[in-house]
PDB file of all heavy atoms in Angstrom:
ATOM      1  N   GLY A   1     124.072  92.411 124.667  1.00  0.00           N
ATOM      2  CA  GLY A   1     124.130  93.838 124.949  1.00  0.00           C
ATOM      3  C   GLY A   1     124.434  94.670 123.717  1.00  0.00           C
ATOM      4  O   GLY A   1     123.847  95.735 123.511  1.00  0.00           O
ATOM      5  N   CYS A   2     125.370  94.179 122.870  1.00  0.00           N
ATOM      6  CA  CYS A   2     125.713  94.910 121.640  1.00  0.00           C
ATOM      7  C   CYS A   2     124.499  95.057 120.730  1.00  0.00           C
ATOM      8  O   CYS A   2     124.236  96.137 120.189  1.00  0.00           O
ATOM      9  CB  CYS A   2     126.837  94.183 120.905  1.00  0.00           C
ATOM     10  SG  CYS A   2     128.473  94.368 121.650  1.00  0.00           S
ATOM     11  N   ILE A   3     123.764  93.974 120.548  1.00  0.00           N
ATOM     12  CA  ILE A   3     122.568  94.022 119.709  1.00  0.00           C
ATOM     13  C   ILE A   3     121.530  94.969 120.308  1.00  0.00           C
ATOM     14  O   ILE A   3     120.901  95.774 119.602  1.00  0.00           O
ATOM     15  CB  ILE A   3     121.976  92.612 119.548  1.00  0.00           C
ATOM     16  CG1 ILE A   3     122.866  91.763 118.637  1.00  0.00           C
ATOM     17  CG2 ILE A   3     120.569  92.676 119.001  1.00  0.00           C
ATOM     18  CD1 ILE A   3     122.813  92.142 117.187  1.00  0.00           C
ATOM     19  N   SER A   4     121.345  94.895 121.635  1.00  0.00           N
ATOM     20  CA  SER A   4     120.309  95.694 122.293  1.00  0.00           C
ATOM     21  C   SER A   4     120.635  97.180 122.314  1.00  0.00           C
ATOM     22  O   SER A   4     119.738  98.009 122.481  1.00  0.00           O
ATOM     23  CB  SER A   4     120.102  95.193 123.732  1.00  0.00           C
ATOM     24  OG  SER A   4     119.750  93.823 123.747  1.00  0.00           O
ATOM     25  N   THR A   5     121.898  97.538 122.146  1.00  0.00           N
ATOM     26  CA  THR A   5     122.294  98.940 122.206  1.00  0.00           C
ATOM     27  C   THR A   5     121.890  99.714 120.954  1.00  0.00           C
ATOM     28  O   THR A   5     121.517 100.886 121.034  1.00  0.00           O
ATOM     29  CB  THR A   5     123.815  99.044 122.416  1.00  0.00           C
ATOM     30  OG1 THR A   5     124.169  98.383 123.633  1.00  0.00           O
ATOM     31  CG2 THR A   5     124.253 100.499 122.501  1.00  0.00           C
ATOM     32  N   THR A   6     121.957  99.069 119.795  1.00  0.00           N
ATOM     33  CA  THR A   6     121.747  99.789 118.537  1.00  0.00           C
ATOM     34  C   THR A   6     120.491  99.359 117.778  1.00  0.00           C
ATOM     35  O   THR A   6     119.762 100.193 117.263  1.00  0.00           O
ATOM     36  CB  THR A   6     122.960  99.599 117.615  1.00  0.00           C
ATOM     37  OG1 THR A   6     123.164  98.196 117.384  1.00  0.00           O
ATOM     38  CG2 THR A   6     124.217 100.181 118.249  1.00  0.00           C
ATOM     39  N   VAL A   7     120.237  98.045 117.705  1.00  0.00           N
ATOM     40  CA  VAL A   7     119.181  97.548 116.816  1.00  0.00           C
ATOM     41  C   VAL A   7     117.777  97.972 117.252  1.00  0.00           C
ATOM     42  O   VAL A   7     116.986  98.420 116.416  1.00  0.00           O
ATOM     43  CB  VAL A   7     119.284  96.018 116.674  1.00  0.00           C
ATOM     44  CG1 VAL A   7     118.104  95.459 115.880  1.00  0.00           C
ATOM     45  CG2 VAL A   7     120.593  95.643 116.002  1.00  0.00           C
ATOM     46  N   PRO A   8     117.384  97.840 118.547  1.00  0.00           N
ATOM     47  CA  PRO A   8     116.009  98.236 118.909  1.00  0.00           C
ATOM     48  C   PRO A   8     115.696  99.694 118.599  1.00  0.00           C
ATOM     49  O   PRO A   8     114.603 100.013 118.110  1.00  0.00           O
ATOM     50  CB  PRO A   8     115.965  97.960 120.422  1.00  0.00           C
ATOM     51  CG  PRO A   8     116.973  96.904 120.637  1.00  0.00           C
ATOM     52  CD  PRO A   8     118.082  97.217 119.693  1.00  0.00           C
ATOM     53  N   LYS A   9     116.647 100.598 118.867  1.00  0.00           N
ATOM     54  CA  LYS A   9     116.422 102.013 118.571  1.00  0.00           C
ATOM     55  C   LYS A   9     116.291 102.241 117.074  1.00  0.00           C
ATOM     56  O   LYS A   9     115.421 103.000 116.619  1.00  0.00           O
ATOM     57  CB  LYS A   9     117.587 102.839 119.127  1.00  0.00           C
ATOM     58  CG  LYS A   9     117.513 104.332 118.815  1.00  0.00           C
ATOM     59  CD  LYS A   9     116.308 104.991 119.441  1.00  0.00           C
ATOM     60  CE  LYS A   9     116.310 106.482 119.182  1.00  0.00           C
ATOM     61  NZ  LYS A   9     115.082 107.137 119.680  1.00  0.00           N
ATOM     62  N   ALA A  10     117.126 101.564 116.280  1.00  0.00           N
ATOM     63  CA  ALA A  10     117.035 101.706 114.823  1.00  0.00           C
ATOM     64  C   ALA A  10     115.708 101.163 114.306  1.00  0.00           C
ATOM     65  O   ALA A  10     115.094 101.749 113.402  1.00  0.00           O
ATOM     66  CB  ALA A  10     118.209 100.976 114.158  1.00  0.00           C
ATOM     67  N   MET A  11     115.238 100.042 114.866  1.00  0.00           N
ATOM     68  CA  MET A  11     113.958  99.483 114.444  1.00  0.00           C
ATOM     69  C   MET A  11     112.803 100.411 114.805  1.00  0.00           C
ATOM     70  O   MET A  11     111.874 100.610 114.020  1.00  0.00           O
ATOM     71  CB  MET A  11     113.760  98.109 115.080  1.00  0.00           C
ATOM     72  CG  MET A  11     114.727  97.052 114.582  1.00  0.00           C
ATOM     73  SD  MET A  11     114.565  95.475 115.458  1.00  0.00           S
ATOM     74  CE  MET A  11     112.892  95.028 114.993  1.00  0.00           C
ATOM     75  N   ALA A  12     112.865 100.988 116.020  1.00  0.00           N
ATOM     76  CA  ALA A  12     111.807 101.912 116.435  1.00  0.00           C
ATOM     77  C   ALA A  12     111.777 103.144 115.542  1.00  0.00           C
ATOM     78  O   ALA A  12     110.696 103.615 115.145  1.00  0.00           O
ATOM     79  CB  ALA A  12     112.027 102.315 117.892  1.00  0.00           C
ATOM     80  N   ASN A  13     112.942 103.671 115.201  1.00  0.00           N
ATOM     81  CA  ASN A  13     112.993 104.833 114.313  1.00  0.00           C
ATOM     82  C   ASN A  13     112.435 104.506 112.933  1.00  0.00           C
ATOM     83  O   ASN A  13     111.762 105.325 112.303  1.00  0.00           O
ATOM     84  CB  ASN A  13     114.438 105.321 114.181  1.00  0.00           C
ATOM     85  CG  ASN A  13     114.930 106.031 115.430  1.00  0.00           C
ATOM     86  OD1 ASN A  13     114.141 106.303 116.339  1.00  0.00           O
ATOM     87  ND2 ASN A  13     116.214 106.310 115.490  1.00  0.00           N
ATOM     88  N   SER A  14     112.712 103.280 112.470  1.00  0.00           N
ATOM     89  CA  SER A  14     112.193 102.876 111.163  1.00  0.00           C
ATOM     90  C   SER A  14     110.672 102.737 111.192  1.00  0.00           C
ATOM     91  O   SER A  14     109.982 103.165 110.254  1.00  0.00           O
ATOM     92  CB  SER A  14     112.836 101.552 110.746  1.00  0.00           C
ATOM     93  OG  SER A  14     112.325 101.101 109.521  1.00  0.00           O
ATOM     94  N   LEU A  15     110.140 102.164 112.268  1.00  0.00           N
ATOM     95  CA  LEU A  15     108.691 101.979 112.361  1.00  0.00           C
ATOM     96  C   LEU A  15     107.951 103.308 112.505  1.00  0.00           C
ATOM     97  O   LEU A  15     106.860 103.482 111.965  1.00  0.00           O
ATOM     98  CB  LEU A  15     108.361 101.058 113.540  1.00  0.00           C
ATOM     99  CG  LEU A  15     108.760  99.583 113.377  1.00  0.00           C
ATOM    100  CD1 LEU A  15     108.525  98.821 114.680  1.00  0.00           C
ATOM    101  CD2 LEU A  15     107.984  98.938 112.240  1.00  0.00           C
ATOM    102  N   TRP A  16     108.557 104.226 113.247  1.00  0.00           N
ATOM    103  CA  TRP A  16     107.903 105.509 113.506  1.00  0.00           C
ATOM    104  C   TRP A  16     108.327 106.594 112.515  1.00  0.00           C
ATOM    105  O   TRP A  16     107.941 107.754 112.664  1.00  0.00           O
ATOM    106  CB  TRP A  16     108.206 105.967 114.930  1.00  0.00           C
ATOM    107  CG  TRP A  16     107.614 105.046 115.967  1.00  0.00           C
ATOM    108  CD1 TRP A  16     106.526 104.255 115.825  1.00  0.00           C
ATOM    109  CD2 TRP A  16     108.110 104.834 117.292  1.00  0.00           C
ATOM    110  NE1 TRP A  16     106.301 103.554 116.993  1.00  0.00           N
ATOM    111  CE2 TRP A  16     107.241 103.891 117.910  1.00  0.00           C
ATOM    112  CE3 TRP A  16     109.186 105.348 118.027  1.00  0.00           C
ATOM    113  CZ2 TRP A  16     107.431 103.450 119.222  1.00  0.00           C
ATOM    114  CZ3 TRP A  16     109.366 104.903 119.340  1.00  0.00           C
ATOM    115  CH2 TRP A  16     108.496 103.971 119.915  1.00  0.00           C
ATOM    116  N   ASP A  17     109.166 106.207 111.525  1.00  0.00           N
ATOM    117  CA  ASP A  17     109.617 107.132 110.479  1.00  0.00           C
ATOM    118  C   ASP A  17     110.254 108.380 111.080  1.00  0.00           C
ATOM    119  O   ASP A  17     109.897 109.514 110.746  1.00  0.00           O
ATOM    120  CB  ASP A  17     108.445 107.518 109.578  1.00  0.00           C
ATOM    121  CG  ASP A  17     108.930 108.183 108.293  1.00  0.00           C
ATOM    122  OD1 ASP A  17     110.096 107.971 107.934  1.00  0.00           O
ATOM    123  OD2 ASP A  17     108.145 108.931 107.680  1.00  0.00           O
ATOM    124  N   THR A  18     111.195 108.162 111.976  1.00  0.00           N
ATOM    125  CA  THR A  18     111.931 109.265 112.598  1.00  0.00           C
ATOM    126  C   THR A  18     113.381 108.854 112.791  1.00  0.00           C
ATOM    127  O   THR A  18     113.697 107.661 112.810  1.00  0.00           O
ATOM    128  CB  THR A  18     111.320 109.639 113.962  1.00  0.00           C
ATOM    129  OG1 THR A  18     112.087 110.716 114.544  1.00  0.00           O
ATOM    130  CG2 THR A  18     111.339 108.451 114.911  1.00  0.00           C
ATOM    131  N   ARG A  19     114.269 109.837 112.921  1.00  0.00           N
ATOM    132  CA  ARG A  19     115.682 109.571 113.181  1.00  0.00           C
ATOM    133  C   ARG A  19     116.155 110.343 114.404  1.00  0.00           C
ATOM    134  O   ARG A  19     117.343 110.553 114.587  1.00  0.00           O
ATOM    135  CB  ARG A  19     116.529 109.962 111.962  1.00  0.00           C
ATOM    136  CG  ARG A  19     116.203 109.156 110.706  1.00  0.00           C
ATOM    137  CD  ARG A  19     117.125 109.518 109.567  1.00  0.00           C
ATOM    138  NE  ARG A  19     118.503 109.204 109.891  1.00  0.00           N
ATOM    139  CZ  ARG A  19     119.532 109.492 109.102  1.00  0.00           C
ATOM    140  NH1 ARG A  19     119.326 110.113 107.955  1.00  0.00           N
ATOM    141  NH2 ARG A  19     120.760 109.168 109.456  1.00  0.00           N
ATOM    142  N   ALA A  20     115.225 110.750 115.242  1.00  0.00           N
ATOM    143  CA  ALA A  20     115.564 111.605 116.380  1.00  0.00           C
ATOM    144  C   ALA A  20     116.128 110.789 117.540  1.00  0.00           C
ATOM    145  O   ALA A  20     115.678 109.680 117.818  1.00  0.00           O
ATOM    146  CB  ALA A  20     114.329 112.371 116.847  1.00  0.00           C
ATOM    147  N   ILE A  21     117.118 111.362 118.213  1.00  0.00           N
ATOM    148  CA  ILE A  21     117.657 110.821 119.444  1.00  0.00           C
ATOM    149  C   ILE A  21     118.171 111.996 120.265  1.00  0.00           C
ATOM    150  O   ILE A  21     118.739 112.947 119.710  1.00  0.00           O
ATOM    151  CB  ILE A  21     118.777 109.791 119.183  1.00  0.00           C
ATOM    152  CG1 ILE A  21     119.209 109.127 120.504  1.00  0.00           C
ATOM    153  CG2 ILE A  21     119.969 110.416 118.481  1.00  0.00           C
ATOM    154  CD1 ILE A  21     120.171 107.962 120.312  1.00  0.00           C
ATOM    155  N   SER A  22     117.956 111.966 121.551  1.00  0.00           N
ATOM    156  CA  SER A  22     118.379 113.075 122.396  1.00  0.00           C
ATOM    157  C   SER A  22     119.900 113.091 122.549  1.00  0.00           C
ATOM    158  O   SER A  22     120.579 112.091 122.286  1.00  0.00           O
ATOM    159  CB  SER A  22     117.725 112.964 123.774  1.00  0.00           C
ATOM    160  OG  SER A  22     118.212 111.830 124.459  1.00  0.00           O
ATOM    161  N   TYR A  23     120.419 114.219 122.981  1.00  0.00           N
ATOM    162  CA  TYR A  23     121.865 114.347 123.194  1.00  0.00           C
ATOM    163  C   TYR A  23     122.333 113.353 124.244  1.00  0.00           C
ATOM    164  O   TYR A  23     123.332 112.645 124.058  1.00  0.00           O
ATOM    165  CB  TYR A  23     122.178 115.777 123.630  1.00  0.00           C
ATOM    166  CG  TYR A  23     123.651 116.083 123.772  1.00  0.00           C
ATOM    167  CD1 TYR A  23     124.416 116.451 122.670  1.00  0.00           C
ATOM    168  CD2 TYR A  23     124.280 116.014 125.012  1.00  0.00           C
ATOM    169  CE1 TYR A  23     125.760 116.734 122.796  1.00  0.00           C
ATOM    170  CE2 TYR A  23     125.624 116.291 125.152  1.00  0.00           C
ATOM    171  CZ  TYR A  23     126.370 116.657 124.039  1.00  0.00           C
ATOM    172  OH  TYR A  23     127.700 116.939 124.163  1.00  0.00           O
ATOM    173  N   LEU A  24     121.591 113.268 125.365  1.00  0.00           N
ATOM    174  CA  LEU A  24     121.940 112.321 126.414  1.00  0.00           C
ATOM    175  C   LEU A  24     121.780 110.882 125.922  1.00  0.00           C
ATOM    176  O   LEU A  24     122.618 110.019 126.224  1.00  0.00           O
ATOM    177  CB  LEU A  24     121.057 112.555 127.646  1.00  0.00           C
ATOM    178  CG  LEU A  24     121.291 111.609 128.831  1.00  0.00           C
ATOM    179  CD1 LEU A  24     122.721 111.729 129.337  1.00  0.00           C
ATOM    180  CD2 LEU A  24     120.292 111.900 129.950  1.00  0.00           C
ATOM    181  N   GLY A  25     120.720 110.622 125.158  1.00  0.00           N
ATOM    182  CA  GLY A  25     120.525 109.282 124.618  1.00  0.00           C
ATOM    183  C   GLY A  25     121.646 108.870 123.696  1.00  0.00           C
ATOM    184  O   GLY A  25     122.076 107.711 123.690  1.00  0.00           O
ATOM    185  N   CYS A  26     122.149 109.813 122.909  1.00  0.00           N
ATOM    186  CA  CYS A  26     123.270 109.528 122.018  1.00  0.00           C
ATOM    187  C   CYS A  26     124.523 109.188 122.817  1.00  0.00           C
ATOM    188  O   CYS A  26     125.246 108.245 122.479  1.00  0.00           O
ATOM    189  CB  CYS A  26     123.510 110.733 121.112  1.00  0.00           C
ATOM    190  SG  CYS A  26     124.794 110.488 119.852  1.00  0.00           S
ATOM    191  N   ALA A  27     124.765 109.957 123.881  1.00  0.00           N
ATOM    192  CA  ALA A  27     125.937 109.703 124.718  1.00  0.00           C
ATOM    193  C   ALA A  27     125.846 108.341 125.399  1.00  0.00           C
ATOM    194  O   ALA A  27     126.830 107.589 125.460  1.00  0.00           O
ATOM    195  CB  ALA A  27     126.086 110.813 125.758  1.00  0.00           C
ATOM    196  N   VAL A  28     124.661 108.000 125.899  1.00  0.00           N
ATOM    197  CA  VAL A  28     124.469 106.708 126.564  1.00  0.00           C
ATOM    198  C   VAL A  28     124.640 105.565 125.576  1.00  0.00           C
ATOM    199  O   VAL A  28     125.273 104.541 125.876  1.00  0.00           O
ATOM    200  CB  VAL A  28     123.078 106.655 127.233  1.00  0.00           C
ATOM    201  CG1 VAL A  28     122.772 105.244 127.727  1.00  0.00           C
ATOM    202  CG2 VAL A  28     123.006 107.640 128.391  1.00  0.00           C
ATOM    203  N   GLN A  29     124.091 105.729 124.376  1.00  0.00           N
ATOM    204  CA  GLN A  29     124.225 104.689 123.357  1.00  0.00           C
ATOM    205  C   GLN A  29     125.679 104.474 122.978  1.00  0.00           C
ATOM    206  O   GLN A  29     126.145 103.324 122.866  1.00  0.00           O
ATOM    207  CB  GLN A  29     123.413 105.061 122.124  1.00  0.00           C
ATOM    208  CG  GLN A  29     123.370 103.963 121.073  1.00  0.00           C
ATOM    209  CD  GLN A  29     122.616 104.377 119.821  1.00  0.00           C
ATOM    210  OE1 GLN A  29     123.035 105.301 119.131  1.00  0.00           O
ATOM    211  NE2 GLN A  29     121.506 103.712 119.548  1.00  0.00           N
ATOM    212  N   LEU A  30     126.413 105.570 122.786  1.00  0.00           N
ATOM    213  CA  LEU A  30     127.820 105.456 122.429  1.00  0.00           C
ATOM    214  C   LEU A  30     128.610 104.789 123.549  1.00  0.00           C
ATOM    215  O   LEU A  30     129.464 103.929 123.299  1.00  0.00           O
ATOM    216  CB  LEU A  30     128.399 106.838 122.129  1.00  0.00           C
ATOM    217  CG  LEU A  30     129.898 106.877 121.788  1.00  0.00           C
ATOM    218  CD1 LEU A  30     130.174 106.100 120.506  1.00  0.00           C
ATOM    219  CD2 LEU A  30     130.384 108.310 121.646  1.00  0.00           C
ATOM    220  N   PHE A  31     128.323 105.160 124.798  1.00  0.00           N
ATOM    221  CA  PHE A  31     129.049 104.586 125.935  1.00  0.00           C
ATOM    222  C   PHE A  31     128.859 103.074 125.995  1.00  0.00           C
ATOM    223  O   PHE A  31     129.826 102.313 126.095  1.00  0.00           O
ATOM    224  CB  PHE A  31     128.582 105.230 127.238  1.00  0.00           C
ATOM    225  CG  PHE A  31     129.105 104.533 128.465  1.00  0.00           C
ATOM    226  CD1 PHE A  31     130.400 104.764 128.907  1.00  0.00           C
ATOM    227  CD2 PHE A  31     128.313 103.627 129.170  1.00  0.00           C
ATOM    228  CE1 PHE A  31     130.895 104.106 130.029  1.00  0.00           C
ATOM    229  CE2 PHE A  31     128.792 102.978 130.285  1.00  0.00           C
ATOM    230  CZ  PHE A  31     130.083 103.212 130.723  1.00  0.00           C
ATOM    231  N   PHE A  32     127.617 102.615 125.936  1.00  0.00           N
ATOM    232  CA  PHE A  32     127.367 101.183 126.068  1.00  0.00           C
ATOM    233  C   PHE A  32     127.876 100.410 124.855  1.00  0.00           C
ATOM    234  O   PHE A  32     128.354  99.275 124.989  1.00  0.00           O
ATOM    235  CB  PHE A  32     125.873 100.930 126.276  1.00  0.00           C
ATOM    236  CG  PHE A  32     125.440 101.106 127.701  1.00  0.00           C
ATOM    237  CD1 PHE A  32     124.751 102.243 128.089  1.00  0.00           C
ATOM    238  CD2 PHE A  32     125.743 100.154 128.650  1.00  0.00           C
ATOM    239  CE1 PHE A  32     124.358 102.423 129.412  1.00  0.00           C
ATOM    240  CE2 PHE A  32     125.358 100.320 129.972  1.00  0.00           C
ATOM    241  CZ  PHE A  32     124.661 101.449 130.350  1.00  0.00           C
ATOM    242  N   PHE A  33     127.795 101.015 123.674  1.00  0.00           N
ATOM    243  CA  PHE A  33     128.306 100.328 122.493  1.00  0.00           C
ATOM    244  C   PHE A  33     129.817 100.134 122.600  1.00  0.00           C
ATOM    245  O   PHE A  33     130.331  99.029 122.361  1.00  0.00           O
ATOM    246  CB  PHE A  33     127.957 101.127 121.237  1.00  0.00           C
ATOM    247  CG  PHE A  33     128.437 100.480 119.973  1.00  0.00           C
ATOM    248  CD1 PHE A  33     127.769  99.385 119.442  1.00  0.00           C
ATOM    249  CD2 PHE A  33     129.553 100.960 119.303  1.00  0.00           C
ATOM    250  CE1 PHE A  33     128.211  98.778 118.275  1.00  0.00           C
ATOM    251  CE2 PHE A  33     130.002 100.361 118.146  1.00  0.00           C
ATOM    252  CZ  PHE A  33     129.332  99.275 117.628  1.00  0.00           C
ATOM    253  N   LEU A  34     130.545 101.192 122.954  1.00  0.00           N
ATOM    254  CA  LEU A  34     131.997 101.078 123.109  1.00  0.00           C
ATOM    255  C   LEU A  34     132.357 100.129 124.235  1.00  0.00           C
ATOM    256  O   LEU A  34     133.294  99.318 124.120  1.00  0.00           O
ATOM    257  CB  LEU A  34     132.607 102.456 123.375  1.00  0.00           C
ATOM    258  CG  LEU A  34     132.674 103.427 122.204  1.00  0.00           C
ATOM    259  CD1 LEU A  34     133.227 104.767 122.679  1.00  0.00           C
ATOM    260  CD2 LEU A  34     133.539 102.869 121.094  1.00  0.00           C
ATOM    261  N   PHE A  35     131.628 100.217 125.340  1.00  0.00           N
ATOM    262  CA  PHE A  35     131.883  99.362 126.494  1.00  0.00           C
ATOM    263  C   PHE A  35     131.752  97.892 126.121  1.00  0.00           C
ATOM    264  O   PHE A  35     132.662  97.072 126.346  1.00  0.00           O
ATOM    265  CB  PHE A  35     130.910  99.747 127.620  1.00  0.00           C
ATOM    266  CG  PHE A  35     130.805  98.743 128.729  1.00  0.00           C
ATOM    267  CD1 PHE A  35     131.929  98.112 129.252  1.00  0.00           C
ATOM    268  CD2 PHE A  35     129.565  98.430 129.266  1.00  0.00           C
ATOM    269  CE1 PHE A  35     131.822  97.185 130.270  1.00  0.00           C
ATOM    270  CE2 PHE A  35     129.449  97.515 130.296  1.00  0.00           C
ATOM    271  CZ  PHE A  35     130.574  96.880 130.791  1.00  0.00           C
ATOM    272  N   LEU A  36     130.637  97.515 125.529  1.00  0.00           N
ATOM    273  CA  LEU A  36     130.378  96.109 125.213  1.00  0.00           C
ATOM    274  C   LEU A  36     131.270  95.609 124.076  1.00  0.00           C
ATOM    275  O   LEU A  36     131.758  94.473 124.109  1.00  0.00           O
ATOM    276  CB  LEU A  36     128.904  95.935 124.849  1.00  0.00           C
ATOM    277  CG  LEU A  36     127.918  96.264 125.980  1.00  0.00           C
ATOM    278  CD1 LEU A  36     126.498  96.376 125.445  1.00  0.00           C
ATOM    279  CD2 LEU A  36     127.989  95.224 127.081  1.00  0.00           C
ATOM    280  N   PHE A  37     131.516  96.470 123.097  1.00  0.00           N
ATOM    281  CA  PHE A  37     132.326  96.070 121.949  1.00  0.00           C
ATOM    282  C   PHE A  37     133.781  95.860 122.361  1.00  0.00           C
ATOM    283  O   PHE A  37     134.415  94.885 121.953  1.00  0.00           O
ATOM    284  CB  PHE A  37     132.226  97.141 120.864  1.00  0.00           C
ATOM    285  CG  PHE A  37     132.195  96.574 119.480  1.00  0.00           C
ATOM    286  CD1 PHE A  37     131.077  95.888 119.030  1.00  0.00           C
ATOM    287  CD2 PHE A  37     133.260  96.722 118.610  1.00  0.00           C
ATOM    288  CE1 PHE A  37     131.023  95.352 117.749  1.00  0.00           C
ATOM    289  CE2 PHE A  37     133.223  96.197 117.333  1.00  0.00           C
ATOM    290  CZ  PHE A  37     132.100  95.515 116.900  1.00  0.00           C
ATOM    291  N   THR A  38     134.316  96.778 123.172  1.00  0.00           N
ATOM    292  CA  THR A  38     135.699  96.639 123.637  1.00  0.00           C
ATOM    293  C   THR A  38     135.845  95.451 124.567  1.00  0.00           C
ATOM    294  O   THR A  38     136.829  94.695 124.484  1.00  0.00           O
ATOM    295  CB  THR A  38     136.146  97.924 124.355  1.00  0.00           C
ATOM    296  OG1 THR A  38     135.940  99.050 123.500  1.00  0.00           O
ATOM    297  CG2 THR A  38     137.616  97.848 124.735  1.00  0.00           C
ATOM    298  N   ALA A  39     134.887  95.266 125.475  1.00  0.00           N
ATOM    299  CA  ALA A  39     134.933  94.123 126.381  1.00  0.00           C
ATOM    300  C   ALA A  39     134.887  92.806 125.606  1.00  0.00           C
ATOM    301  O   ALA A  39     135.562  91.835 125.976  1.00  0.00           O
ATOM    302  CB  ALA A  39     133.768  94.199 127.372  1.00  0.00           C
TER     303      ALA A  39
END
């Protein structure tokens, strides 16, 4: 889960040459990263 929360989005941004993420997407990413990392 930790890998899937950050790495796929970073890889997609690198392939598509963009760094965009929505406000809701940022909140969801932060939630799952903290959740899985703390657990």
Side-chain angles (χ1 to χ4, degrees):
C2 285
I3 288 288
S4 302
T5 301
T6 58
V7 174
K9 177 63 177 175
M11 293 175 64
N13 287 351
S14 178
L15 290 173
W16 295 334
D17 194 22
T18 179
R19 297 184 62 184
I21 186 172
S22 67
Y23 185 84
L24 179 60
C26 184
V28 171
Q29 186 183 63
L30 178 63
F31 170 80
F32 278 104
F33 181 76
L34 287 176
F35 165 43
L36 297 167
F37 217 71
T38 306

